[in-house]
Amino acid sequence: MADRTHAGQVATARRALRITVRGVVQGVGFRPFVYRIARENQIAGWVRNTSWGVEMAAEGEAAALDAFVHALRHEIPPLARIDALTIDEATPDGLREFEILHSEAQTGAYQPVSPDTATCADCLHELLDPADRRYRYPFINCTNCGPRFTIIEDVPYDRPLTTMRAFDMCPTCRHEYDDPLDRRFHAQPNACPVCGPHVTLMDADGRVLAERDDALRRVAALLREGAIVAVKGLGGYQLACDATDAAAVIRLRQRKRRPHKPYAVMVTDLEEVRRHAEIDEVEAALLGGPAAPIVLLPWWSGSSIVREVAPHMDTIGLMLPYTPLHHILLRDTARPLVMTSGNLSEEPIARDNDEALRRLKDIADYYLVHNRDIHSRYDDSVWFVAAGEAQPVRRARGYAPDPIGLPFEARPILAVGGELKNAFCLTRDRYAFVSQHIGDMENLETLEHFGETLALYRRLFRVEPAIVAHDMHPDYATTRYALEQPGEHVAVQHHHAHLAACLTDAGMPDEPAIGVIMDGTGYGLDGHIRGSEFLLGDARGYRRAAHLAYLPLPGGDAATRRPNRIALAYMQTLAAGDDLPPTLRGVSAAEVETVRTMIARGLNTPFTSSAGRLFDAVSALLGVCGDASYEAQAAIELEEVAQKDARSGDTALYEWETAPAGEAEGGGITA
Ligand code: ZN
Ligand code: ZN
């Protein structure tokens, strides 16, 4: 910078830099961006992809180089993310041009892979422009949007290693793909109606009814008539129906065998969201952002979306269209559409065309399929905003496999995750690659999904785990899987894992902390079911300082489907006398007696300190939910009631006691 005082000299002095960038920098328009800012600043040199990131040589006048580096740091494309940038002085070579060079592959090297991203504003504009060659083309995309993770089989991210290899680009698409100044330069899924994938409409028996735009227009008409349509989306099939048609929604519930669990609804744009729900700026940014998740929102009573979509709820999960296919469907039907995972309860989302026809046979009336294969199953992500902060409930589409940065260098570890709402994690260097939501590990399909996804992550990020971490619970499918893997095995207490994850997420794994864990089920060392803990410790170890009192759970885990029974058990244990509160008087005398006998004799009645079961009992005692058809229903509906009270100014006080324990239980993972 001192050189600048001699302006005359600087004007002629040429400098050269070698720059390396790590992060999400491939498949996101990074090289064309570098090319453009190089030309804008009269910088000569080159840029190329490597197996670990992007490398470039830049040569020019000092002030121009400063401007170039400033742009490199501050003007990156929307999907790119720089994790590390190194700049070294080099000797000028007298270069005059700036070029994009071919990729340099290195074995063992890896880099983050971009998640799939919602249709960008430029593509949406073209999609809706009758003069554009991609008008109403349901697979329009560019370097700033479209499928990524769901179509990638291996790295480097190049078309032959994606499911797009089946389609040869037409000359016009090829020209866009080869032009560094085009928005579709090296957009691997680039396609058009001439050369790319297309949609087909089939009936329940797999007979073709219509293709291409004709199929889209007929689907819209069918949806408006109340049909249930299986739609092949980004990461799997979704089941769609008119969210303003109670009969259609009820039919979907019956066929999916899901009587109460809320469905998500897709609406055309933010303006329409405001007609159904209350949203603030944070929620609007989430809904309209590149990940475009489902966001849980306060539901207007005047909304045209029927209550059958989310029975007993004042909250609704809304999302915006995130693929061109969804944009067309929503505009053509001009109705809010239920968009729920294409599966039976608890199974993973259906992915392949044959699989959808087989597994969704008794659910869907019609199938809107297409011929671009999905490599990875990818559910919709679910978020909510509390106290102005966005919180994930389910992290999948739009987020995974983007890694979480670690505050330390990690050995290669595989953490296999728990039994319900499973996700696994692989670590390497300073990255934690947390998988997308896998699901409940209680059926064969989910186990296969787990195995396939884990194999993909290991391949993409080149991780050979030296340590395999698993839950202490001996009967979890993931525990059995972990014990069959080579490497050092580490059993982690469920709630210590929660504490360690929170501390690491906050960047302070070694700081002493009080961890308050309010959970449903975690395997403990004393044979009881643990669910609420006050732990003192850090990521390395902990002491259990307090927990909720242990109470009997007649029937064990099966009782979670019957909150009334939990309430009975808690009443019988905690309250004197045989009087039942009015809300439990509907329970049969036989069941009351059964529960009494089970507790008295200790028959199939483990003890639990679960916060989830406490919520179940309170929910049943207040007459909110005595029978549950999906996991956590009683707690979710109790929360609805509590929030309504909070909004109306009523407050309720629930008293509970802690039973100090204080035994030290030592550590989990030693890093
Ligand atoms: Zn785009
Ligand atoms: Zn084309």
Side-chain angles (χ1 to χ4, degrees), residues 74-114:
H74 299 288
E75 293 168 21
I76 59 172
L79 301 188
R81 192 194 65 229
I82 294 179
D83 290 338
L85 180 78
T86 62
I87 302 177
D88 292 309
E89 288 285 339
T91 316
D93 285 331
L95 300 172
R96 287 285 163 247
E97 297 290 316
F98 197 90
E99 290 178 281
I100 296 176
L101 302 183
H102 280 292
S103 306
E104 176 126 314
Q106 287 160 279
T107 49
Y110 75 103
Q111 57 168 305
V113 167
S114 167

Side-chain angles (χ1 to χ4, degrees), residues 120 123 142 145:
C120 73
C123 285
C142 72
C145 74

Side-chain angles (χ1 to χ4, degrees), residues 204-220:
D205 297 317
R207 275 188 299 259
V208 173
L209 300 180
E211 298 213 79
R212 300 175 193 267
D213 207 50
D214 186 29
L216 293 172
R217 294 189 193 271
R218 287 193 54 188
V219 161

Side-chain angles (χ1 to χ4, degrees), residues 133 170 173 191-192 194-195:
R133 73 188 192 94
C170 69
C173 286
C192 78
V194 174
C195 64

Side-chain angles (χ1 to χ4, degrees), residues 150-151 153 163 202 230-238 342-343 348-361 367-378 445 448-449 452:
T150 54
I151 61 168
E153 294 167 6
T163 62
M202 300 196 295
V231 177
K232 188 175 182 179
L234 211 45
Y237 273 80
Q238 291 169 307
N343 57 5
I349 189 167
R351 175 184 62 180
D352 303 326
N353 296 356
D354 293 349
E355 180 193 1
L357 279 167
R358 179 169 42 82
R359 282 179 48 204
L360 305 180
K361 190 172 174 16
Y367 294 81
L368 186 64
V369 310
H370 62 69
N371 56 343
R372 186 182 74 202
D373 285 345
I374 296 169
H375 189 65
S376 257
R377 291 174 213 272
Y378 212 29
E445 287 83 359
E448 284 172 6
H449 178 24
E452 284 173 9

Side-chain angles (χ1 to χ4, degrees), residues 438-450:
I438 301 288
D440 297 347
M441 304 290 283
E442 48 201 16
N443 58 62
L444 189 63
E445 287 83 359
T446 314
L447 278 172
E448 284 172 6
H449 178 24
F450 174 89

